[in-house]
Amino acid sequence: MAKLITGLAMLHLMQDQRRPIQGVCYLDEALALDARNQRSLIKTAAEFGFSLIFASPAPLTTVRYCVPIHHRQGSNQISRVSWQILEPLEA
């Protein structure tokens, strides 16, 4: 968790502050973190301008979207049509 926050902070500091961007960060094995730490990471990443994608072999309590990965003809495919919105982001 500390490595991720440090990495996000470093990427944030390297960005041109005149042109803010929204980035995405992928975190594998997110199930290893408890719900409190997951929420903390989501909040901290957002403060640095990043959205987190958690990968987990089991459901997480902090999930807002579920994005199924389908395997077809030897490759993995993700379709926006198959996304499951569990909790929409607040405006």
Side-chain angles (χ1 to χ4, degrees):
M1 189 167 133
K3 286 181 184 179
L4 177 62
I5 291 173
T6 303
L8 291 176
M10 290 174 63
L11 288 171
H12 175 72
L13 292 172
M14 290 190 302
Q15 293 177 15
D16 183 349
Q17 298 304 316
R18 297 169 295 177
R19 297 178 133 171
I21 62 168
Q22 182 69 30
V24 176
C25 182
Y26 174 85
L27 179 63
D28 200 9
E29 300 297 332
L31 189 61
L33 298 170
D34 62 10
R36 185 178 65 84
N37 283 320
Q38 290 173 22
R39 282 189 290 279
S40 177
L41 276 177
I42 292 167
K43 181 181 175 190
T44 302
E47 290 172 5
F48 288 132
F50 292 91
S51 295
L52 289 181
I53 296 175
F54 285 166
S56 174
L60 301 171
T61 59
T62 57
V63 69
R64 291 187 174 137
Y65 297 88
C66 181
V67 182
I69 301 172
H70 304 284
H71 189 75
R72 289 195 186 109
Q73 298 175 350
S75 63
N76 293 331
Q77 295 180 346
I78 297 173
S79 169
R80 175 84 172 172
V81 177
S82 66
W83 285 26
Q84 300 165 15
I85 300 173
L86 306 173
E87 179 185 328
L89 292 175
E90 298 152 8

